Amino acid sequence: MIEELINLGIARELIVIIISALPILELRGALPVAINVFNMPWYWAYPLAIIGNMLPVPILLLFFDSLAKIVSKVEVGRRFVNWGLERTRRHGKLIERYERIGLTLFVAIPLPFTGAWTGSIAAFLMGMKFKYSILSIFCGVLISGAIVTCLCLLGWLGAIIAGVGLSAIAIFGWWRI
């Protein structure tokens, strides 16, 4: 897929943004491509991935209900929406219990189905205010991006150190608000 996009003349920077805007892959897929495949410096790859990962968030937070209705008109779309909603509800216990901190940590965990897309859906389903939702998701994306960047550059130890340190800072920051 990446080679096809390059052959179409699409800039590598735009490819990183596109990959990080996709559900499931998000920046967890974009950063390794940028750093390890395209040999971009981390300080260039990281903001591109953050921008791409945050692009769909306001749209999802504001228009998820309408988008879900449109997509659900097709059988495959309805199954995908129902599957996503059920999965988000099952894994939303952390978010329900700790609200903003929980949403930040949920998005920050760099695993499939825990990123900005799922966090946006969870925030919508739980009726969180837009400003808190987008800020929590943004903080989670920053932390997730730092963890994945450290994993690409330093291996597992660097990712663990980054994850623990940045999560502690986020928890402390939200607790004070």
Side-chain angles (χ1 to χ4, degrees), residues 35-116:
I35 294 170
N36 298 328
V37 176
F38 293 158
N39 295 315
M40 283 185 189
W42 71 267
Y43 52 84
W44 184 236
Y46 180 78
L48 289 173
I50 299 295
I51 290 166
N53 205 182
M54 288 302 295
L55 280 176
V57 171
I59 297 165
L60 288 169
L61 289 173
L62 295 171
F63 305 111
F64 178 74
D65 195 36
S66 300
L67 292 170
K69 286 178 184 174
I70 292 168
V71 172
S72 293
K73 289 182 180 181
V74 178
E75 177 61 28
V76 174
R78 183 172 46 255
R79 282 189 282 161
F80 180 73
V81 168
N82 290 338
W83 174 81
L85 290 173
E86 183 58 35
R87 184 167 180 81
T88 301
R89 284 187 188 107
R90 275 198 323 261
H91 297 292
K93 303 282 188 245
L94 175 74
I95 300 167
E96 284 182 75
R97 185 166 182 194
Y98 299 106
E99 294 181 2
R100 294 178 295 200
I101 294 170
L103 182 58
T104 298
L105 294 177
F106 180 80
V107 173
I109 300 167
L111 295 172
F113 309 111
T114 61

